[in-house]
Amino acid sequence: MKIVKAICAPGRTGFYYDDQRAIKQGAIADGATYLGDPTTPHFTAIRQAGEAISVMLILEDGQIAFGDCATVQYAGVGGRDTLFSAADGIPLIEQHVFPRLIGAEADCFRRLADELEDIRVDGKPLHAAIRYGVSQAILDAVAKAKRLLMCEVIAAEYDLSLTGGEIPIFTQSGDARYQGADKMILKGVPALPHALINHVETKLGTSGELLLDYVIWLRDRILALKTDDSYHPTLHIDVYGTIGQIFGKENYAAMAYYLETLAKAALPFPLRIEGPMDADERELQIQCMSALTRLLDERGIPVELVADEWCNTLEDVKAFANRRAGHMVQIKTPDLGGIGNSVEAVLYCKALGISAYLGGSCNETDRTAQVSVHLAMATRPDLMLAKPGMGVDEAYMIVYNEMQRIRAFLAAKHAN
């Protein structure tokens, strides 16, 4: 089954591009935006509307396969690609990608995805967002050509077993960390609430007191609202390096003591902390994360650390996993480019006994979220992100419902 035509359409994402540097430096929130000038290259404002490109591949029989190009909320920092615009991306796709795909047989995802990864423009790979969206469309094209689900294609090409079991879902609250937490508890979300602790003075506290108060409130809120005694979620909080800001990114003893305080406050629920420090470059980030992970383990402090900052590419994921720079590694799907890289990243972490979190960004689309569910159902990560957006309900609905559709279909198929 050949690809006979290809089309691009500009689109919107489920959130925004935010200039993380400016926000960490104290940019003042003004309603849904921020006051002040951006500090990260290519930003024209501290907050900008997120952009996407839908890529559609038309097969010989008229079926339409599609995927969405999108990048992360905090583009251009932590070693990531710059923010992404449809106006810049569409010409690149039409000139450098479509000629490779039109006329190609949609018979093997891995081959076509590898060819996409190899494309160079002025000696550089295509923006990760382009490789992300086009590879989704390729996977969908192969699945449609073979009359299979996308997860079945991944399972077949990577020699994996499809069990149909649920993957724990993690949801994001954004700054609505109180109301958002209520929504998550009411829906029985397995991991919550992200909480967006990205500023010391207003969210963490200069000695960590604001986050400690929030953890206590969250614990009590779960106990008060849960209606099922079996509901025992993990408290997963992203601190964007702010713990390292107040204690020192290499002051492991002080950070460990504070994390132990948070863990005690979280009881009876387990605690997971994402991005405890940001060391401003990859090698030092790995060193810091490795040292803090090791210290927590030696002292028996029940906090699971999640690697995020400076862990962007497949090579990065392998480097963090090899040196146990965290108990869990986030595989931030848009940053890895082609989705085959995310598949390989999950499998690599699992082979080393490192927990794999198939994550991403609030600044994605409904389509990227659906495809990510198929990757998760085939590779079986320990956690996956509800996306896009920060509204909780919509992101959780998209990911949860796609997962249940896959499970029901596989169960029915195996029963016949």
Side-chain angles (χ1 to χ4, degrees):
M1 182 79 67
K2 288 185 178 180
I3 299 167
V4 296
K5 191 174 182 179
I7 306 167
C8 282
R12 290 295 191 191
T13 63
F15 205 66
Y16 304 89
Y17 298 127
D18 284 344
D19 182 347
Q20 188 186 68
R21 286 197 188 99
I23 292 169
K24 281 187 173 183
Q25 291 170 11
I28 298 171
D30 178 27
T33 188
Y34 289 90
L35 301 177
D37 296 322
T39 61
T40 300
H42 302 286
F43 275 79
T44 58
I46 295 175
R47 170 164 284 178
Q48 297 176 220
E51 297 186 34
I53 299 171
S54 278
V55 176
M56 293 164 277
L57 303 179
I58 317 301
L59 300 179
E60 285 180 285
D61 64 356
Q63 292 188 91
I64 304 171
F66 71 102
D68 283 355
C69 304
T71 194
V72 297
Q73 173 190 11
Y74 296 124
V77 296
R80 302 184 182 107
D81 273 357
T82 59
L83 59 76
F84 175 72
S85 75
D88 291 338
I90 289 175
L92 284 172
I93 295 170
E94 292 177 340
Q95 293 169 24
H96 299 282
V97 178
F98 285 171
R100 305 277 192 107
L101 291 177
I102 295 172
E105 288 285 348
D107 57 354
C108 179
F109 164 73
R110 295 182 74 171
R111 185 193 78 253
L112 293 172
D114 286 346
E115 290 174 5
L116 172 67
E117 291 288 305
D118 289 339
I119 294 174
R120 295 292 182 271
V121 178
D122 297 328
K124 298 178 181 179
L126 293 166
H127 193 291
I130 293 176
R131 292 181 281 125
Y132 187 44
V134 175
S135 62
Q136 295 164 36
I138 290 171
L139 176 59
D140 193 24
V142 174
K144 284 182 164 64
K146 295 188 174 185
R147 302 294 196 269
L148 296 172
L149 296 181
M150 288 182 283
C151 60
E152 293 179 294
V153 172
I154 294 295
E157 293 197 16
Y158 288 85
D159 194 24
L160 304 172
S161 297
L162 278 173
T163 64
E166 288 191 26
I167 308 294
I169 298 172
F170 169 44
T171 46
Q172 301 182 92
S173 64
D175 281 327
R177 62 187 59 83
Y178 292 94
Q179 184 180 29
D182 279 2
K183 295 179 180 181
M184 298 169 193
I185 297 164
L186 291 172
K187 293 193 173 182
V189 172
L192 72 168
H194 185 268
L196 197 68
I197 307 299
N198 61 355
H199 189 254
V200 169
E201 287 76 15
T202 59
K203 298 178 182 180
L204 182 75
T206 54
S207 60
E209 73 282 358
L210 297 180
L211 178 55
L212 177 60
D213 289 345
Y214 179 71
V215 168
I216 293 169
W217 175 87
L218 182 60
R219 173 203 66 198
D220 291 345
R221 195 64 173 167
I222 295 169
L223 293 172
L225 292 186
K226 70 173 187 170
T227 58
D228 184 346
D229 289 339
S230 66
Y231 181 52
H232 197 76
T234 296
L235 310 190
H236 183 142
I237 297 172
D238 193 343
V239 299
Y240 293 90
T242 54
I243 292 176
Q245 280 184 259
I246 63 171
F247 294 110
K249 60 180 175 287
E250 296 180 80
N251 190 346
Y252 308 120
M255 286 191 286
Y257 180 80
Y258 176 65
L259 290 171
E260 184 173 25
T261 302
L262 292 180
K264 289 177 180 177
L267 290 173
F269 305 108
L271 179 65
R272 189 182 288 143
I273 296 292
E274 184 172 341
M277 81 290 288
D278 184 349
D280 295 322
E281 56 97 2
R282 192 186 86 165
E283 176 56 30
L284 184 55
Q285 183 74 9
I286 291 174
Q287 291 178 22
C288 292
M289 285 292 292
S290 295
L292 185 56
T293 300
R294 186 165 55 251
L295 183 59
L296 294 182
D297 292 345
E298 289 171 354
R299 294 188 178 180
I301 296 172
V303 174
E304 191 174 23
L305 297 183
V306 184
D308 179 14
E309 302 300 328
W310 298 97
C311 187
N312 305 314
T313 65
L314 175 57
E315 178 190 356
D316 293 340
V317 170
K318 290 180 177 180
F320 275 78
N322 286 340
R323 293 165 64 180
R324 301 198 176 275
H327 302 94
M328 172 179 277
V329 174
Q330 177 174 185
I331 296 148
K332 191 165 281 190
T333 51
D335 285 335
L336 270 77
I339 57 175
N341 293 326
S342 292
V343 170
E344 293 187 22
V346 172
L347 299 180
Y348 192 88
C349 289
K350 290 177 64 177
L352 291 182
I354 301 291
S355 294
Y357 159 31
L358 189 68
S361 174
C362 54
N363 191 49
E364 295 193 50
T365 73
D366 55 340
R367 185 55 175 171
T368 68
Q370 290 169 341
V371 176
S372 292
V373 176
H374 284 265
L375 303 186
M377 294 301 284
T379 60
R380 314 300 302 171
D382 300 274
L383 185 71
M384 79 163 300
L385 180 67
K387 54 189 183 181
M390 291 287 196
V392 179
D393 298 308
E394 300 85 355
Y396 187 66
M397 172 192 68
I398 290 168
V399 170
Y400 180 85
N401 289 359
E402 185 72 5
M403 187 180 298
Q404 299 308 320
R405 283 190 285 265
I406 294 168
R407 295 183 67 216
F409 177 85
L410 292 176
K413 188 172 184 177
H414 293 154
N416 291 334

